[in-house]
Amino acid sequence: MEHKSILLVAIYLLMATAYAYEGTPQIRLFIEGPTDEFSGTGCTDSVSYLIRVYNIGTDSTARNLDINLFGMNLQVADYQDWLGNMGAPYMEVTAPGSSYSPDWAMTWYVGDLKYEEERDLLVTFCKLDDFTTISGSAWFEGALDAVNAEKREWMAV
C-alpha cells in the first residue's frame, strides 16, 4: 500500500510539472504599409498602417503584452481591430500629433498572447507633412528586451 502511495505521488508530481511547463514566448511584430485605402475622419490626406503581432514560441504565452508605437508628422485619426478577433482594442494615445507638435505616441495593450495567436490593428493617420515615419516595439512580462518592429510592404488582402 505504501509503495502505491509513493507511486501515485510521483505520477502526480510528474503530471503537474508537465502541465506547469511553458515555453518561451517569441514575439514577431510587423508594421505593414503605408496604404491610402482607408480615410481618416477629418483628414484631407490620410495614410494607414497595419500593426501585426504574433507569438511563435511553442507552448508559450506572452503575458501582459504591450505594443508601443511612435511616429512623426502624423495625427492619430482612427484605429480598429483588423481581424475582428479581439473586439475594441485597448489603446492609450499619449501624444496624438498636431500641426504644432507633429510627434505622436500610443500604447496598444494587447494582454496575453498565446502560442500561434495573432492580433492585427489598423491605424489610420492624418498626414501633417510629406515626411512621415512610424516605428514600434513590443514588451511582455519576463522579456529580457523589447522586440522592435520590422517594416514591410502592405500585404493585406
Side-chain angles (χ1 to χ4, degrees), residues 109-120:
Y109 300 101
V110 178
D112 294 349
L113 190 66
K114 295 179 181 172
Y115 172 57
E116 292 188 336
E117 278 190 326
E118 172 183 349
R119 299 284 188 271
D120 293 353

Side-chain angles (χ1 to χ4, degrees), residues 83-125:
L83 293 178
N85 64 355
M86 65 178 168
Y90 180 39
M91 303 288 296
E92 182 180 359
V93 180
T94 53
S98 71
S99 54
Y100 300 107
S101 176
D103 298 338
W104 62 270
M106 61 195 306
T107 301
W108 172 23
Y109 300 101
V110 178
D112 294 349
L113 190 66
K114 295 179 181 172
Y115 172 57
E116 292 188 336
E117 278 190 326
E118 172 183 349
R119 299 284 188 271
D120 293 353
L121 182 74
L122 178 69
V123 185
T124 302
F125 301 93

Side-chain angles (χ1 to χ4, degrees), residues 18-155:
Y19 283 113
Y21 171 76
E22 192 169 294
T24 303
Q26 293 180 27
I27 298 300
R28 297 291 181 264
L29 179 61
F30 297 100
I31 297 175
E32 293 182 9
T35 182
D36 58 0
E37 290 182 37
F38 309 93
S39 59
T41 307
C43 298
T44 55
D45 191 10
S46 61
V47 64
S48 298
Y49 290 89
L50 188 59
I51 314 302
R52 294 188 162 189
V53 61
Y54 308 89
N55 180 4
I56 61 170
T58 306
D59 297 327
S60 68
T61 300
R63 301 197 186 286
N64 298 318
L65 177 66
D66 295 339
I67 308 294
N68 296 306
L69 302 168
F70 309 96
M72 186 172 181
N73 290 326
L74 297 168
Q75 181 177 11
V76 179
D78 188 29
Y79 49 84
Q80 63 183 341
D81 175 5
W82 180 252
L83 293 178
N85 64 355
M86 65 178 168
Y90 180 39
M91 303 288 296
E92 182 180 359
V93 180
T94 53
S98 71
S99 54
Y100 300 107
S101 176
D103 298 338
W104 62 270
M106 61 195 306
T107 301
W108 172 23
Y109 300 101
V110 178
D112 294 349
L113 190 66
K114 295 179 181 172
Y115 172 57
E116 292 188 336
E117 278 190 326
E118 172 183 349
R119 299 284 188 271
D120 293 353
L121 182 74
L122 178 69
V123 185
T124 302
F125 301 93
C126 297
K127 284 184 170 182
L128 300 174
D129 200 341
D130 288 336
F131 172 75
T132 60
T133 185
I134 181 173
S135 62
S137 62
W139 181 263
F140 56 92
E141 205 171 274
L144 299 176
D145 203 358
V147 176
N148 291 322
E150 295 178 41
K151 292 183 182 177
R152 59 187 189 186
E153 294 297 313
W154 178 261
M155 296 170 51

